[in-house]
Amino acid sequence: MQTREFFVSAPGKVILHGEHSVVHGKVALAVSLNLRTYLRLQSTSSGEVRINLPNIDTFLSWEITALQPLLAGCKEQGVLKELDADLLNRLRKFTGISDDSTDTRSMAVLAFLYMYLAVFAESLASITVSVWSELPTGAGLGSSAAYNVSLSAALLSARGTISSPLTPQQESARWSKEEMELINRWAFMGEKIIHGNPSGVDNAVGTWGGFLRYHAGNITPLSWVPILRILLTNTKVPRSTKVLVSGVKDKINKFPSVMKPVLESVSAVSCTCEQTLTEMAAQGPSAEHYNILEELIDINQHHLNVMGVGHSSLDTLCRVTLARGLHSKLTGAGGGGCGITLLRPETDTSVIQSTVEELKACGFDCWETSIGAPGIQQHSSAALSQGILKILNSY
């Protein structure tokens, strides 16, 4: 173990444009959300591996001597390959987590144990990992990916597989491109454990941050894009992504001549937004740039309603914000879930406060935050708020 203690964090994500069209080969834009997952890793001499997940009230520990036999038969220990189904099955039996479990706590623990054993396979080390997140779980905001990216960076750094980039003079630092590519690949492994067949978009956003273009399986980070202020609203209406995706597919099959142009238009919205963001970064943001972004938000929200993934709660969000001159759309699968509202630089604080108050009165959760935040980072303790430090240090 090269480092006795360090802190990392990774952002969540929202889909700016391109929901549902992306699975049909069209362009989508994903962007990092400045609500983050924070992780503290400590090396210890306890002979145990411990994980603390305050958000879901979980504290678990295992003796290293009990974990060691699980590695029997692993041919290339410590080497990133495809998911080792045998090791995963042994872990499921060891923890009592069933194959069909979707429980947040269980899947977080399973991903942690798998990555810990795979990274430290040659010499299991005593560590304590504490994780706390600003992201709500199950809201389509990339909370599991932020967890897996943070976990991958912390474990790989502690093992010495990648560097610990923070210098004494810095409060926050990032890894090299090559090291972040490795972090991203390990995080994708964790996402496979939790979700089965993920796209890789969420962990890529958590790793690289900023805006990413997703098209036909290819993920391309966009450079030099602006950070935008938003309101993020969680309607808290539960929905099934699987059912919503299936519904869009059925509608396309039933009305191909109607729906395929809609998908093309959604893709064009993504491309136009990408062009606008690039101009904002190169020329500086202007009122006209924000006008375009607002129009694209309105257009895309109508597209999503046409696809059948709108919801009365999202209509309420759009109505409440538009009454104050603000523009909103759903993000993610739709059918409830979350929505985003663009805030212009000149938007008055009183307008934001009254909007948040009315949305909360509707039973929604609401945060003022930003998109375009940095990806995975290592931090000194001085870089973290006292509230976050208190939670991470409480074990």
Side-chain angles (χ1 to χ4, degrees):
M1 298 281 290
Q2 294 185 344
T3 306
R4 292 200 59 81
E5 175 187 73
F6 58 88
F7 302 88
V8 300
S9 75
K13 77 93 180 60
V14 295
I15 301 297
L16 189 56
H17 292 295
E19 296 91 342
H20 291 282
S21 67
V22 68
V23 297
H24 299 280
K26 306 306 178 184
V27 176
L29 287 182
V31 58
S32 57
L33 176 66
N34 200 24
L35 295 175
R36 303 181 74 87
T37 291
Y38 295 88
L39 183 149
R40 178 198 191 203
L41 187 147
Q42 298 167 278
S43 57
T44 70
S45 57
S46 66
E48 292 184 332
V49 178
R50 300 173 179 172
I51 185 165
N52 312 307
L53 302 168
N55 293 76
I56 49 178
D57 194 27
T58 296
F59 169 78
L60 294 169
S61 64
W62 303 268
E63 296 285 343
I64 287 178
T65 53
L67 293 172
Q68 187 72 56
L70 297 172
L71 289 167
C74 295
K75 294 180 180 179
E76 295 184 272
Q77 298 182 5
V79 177
L80 178 61
K81 293 287 187 181
E82 289 301 312
L83 196 65
D84 187 329
D86 290 337
L87 175 58
L88 191 57
N89 287 334
R90 286 195 291 272
L91 275 171
R92 286 187 180 278
K93 290 179 182 178
F94 178 77
T95 57
I97 298 171
S98 64
D99 289 349
D100 58 355
S101 175
T102 57
D103 175 63
T104 299
R105 169 189 174 278
S106 298
M107 301 314 292
V109 168
L110 193 63
F112 166 69
L113 284 175
Y114 182 96
M115 284 200 280
Y116 165 76
L117 289 174
V119 171
F120 283 95
E122 295 178 0
S123 178
L124 297 187
S126 300
I127 61 170
T128 295
V129 169
S130 299
V131 186
W132 184 79
S133 185
E134 297 170 330
L135 294 159
T137 59
L141 299 176
S143 60
S144 71
Y147 167 74
N148 281 314
V149 170
S150 297
L151 197 55
S152 299
L155 292 173
L156 291 168
S157 292
R159 179 65 182 84
T161 306
I162 61 176
S163 67
S164 177
L166 194 70
T167 66
Q169 293 75 34
Q170 294 175 301
E171 289 194 347
S172 299
R174 304 196 69 194
W175 287 264
S176 69
K177 178 182 177 182
E178 293 75 17
E179 289 174 322
M180 288 204 295
E181 286 173 349
L182 186 60
I183 291 169
N184 188 46
R185 291 200 297 273
W186 277 96
F188 187 46
M189 192 81 74
E191 285 290 274
K192 285 182 178 180
I193 293 169
I194 292 176
H195 296 295
N197 187 32
S199 67
V201 171
D202 288 12
N203 51 277
V205 172
T207 301
W208 301 104
F211 291 75
L212 280 79
R213 186 180 200 265
Y214 184 82
H215 182 221
N218 296 314
I219 302 171
T220 307
L222 306 182
S223 58
W224 303 106
V225 290
I227 292 177
L228 302 175
R229 289 196 307 153
I230 64 162
L231 286 181
L232 173 69
T233 300
N234 184 0
T235 67
K236 298 191 283 189
V237 174
R239 74 280 185 275
S240 167
T241 299
K242 184 178 181 180
V243 170
L244 290 161
V245 170
S246 177
V248 172
K249 184 178 180 181
D250 289 345
K251 187 166 285 193
I252 292 169
N253 290 335
K254 187 176 182 179
F255 304 110
S257 62
V258 174
M259 296 306 297
K260 287 182 179 178
V262 175
L263 296 177
E264 291 292 344
S265 184
V266 171
S267 189
V269 166
S270 296
C271 294
T272 304
C273 181
E274 178 184 345
Q275 179 183 346
T276 303
L277 293 170
T278 302
E279 289 180 4
M280 291 173 75
Q283 306 168 8
S286 67
E288 180 57 27
H289 286 136
Y290 275 93
N291 291 342
I292 293 171
L293 293 179
E294 289 173 341
E295 287 189 74
L296 293 176
I297 284 173
D298 293 342
I299 292 168
N300 200 7
Q301 180 61 21
H302 288 305
H303 284 144
L304 292 162
N305 282 328
V306 168
M307 291 182 192
V309 296
H311 190 270
S312 58
S313 62
L314 295 165
D315 293 339
T316 298
L317 166 64
C318 292
R319 174 181 55 78
V320 168
T321 55
L322 190 58
R324 294 166 172 81
L326 305 175
H327 299 255
S328 304
K329 65 177 287 293
L330 68 85
T331 180
C338 292
I340 56 174
T341 305
L342 182 65
L343 300 176
R344 299 173 78 113
E346 67 272 18
T347 303
D348 192 83
T349 302
S350 62
V351 172
I352 297 172
Q353 289 177 342
S354 66
T355 304
V356 169
E357 288 171 4
E358 185 168 351
L359 291 172
K360 287 184 175 180
C362 295
F364 304 156
D365 287 337
C366 195
W367 302 266
E368 181 183 353
T369 183
S370 60
I371 52 177
I376 183 70
Q377 292 181 305
Q378 184 182 0
H379 305 288
S380 69
S381 59
L384 305 183
S385 72
Q386 288 302 307
I388 292 170
L389 272 178
K390 184 177 180 180
I391 293 171
L392 295 177
N393 291 335
S394 61
Y395 292 90

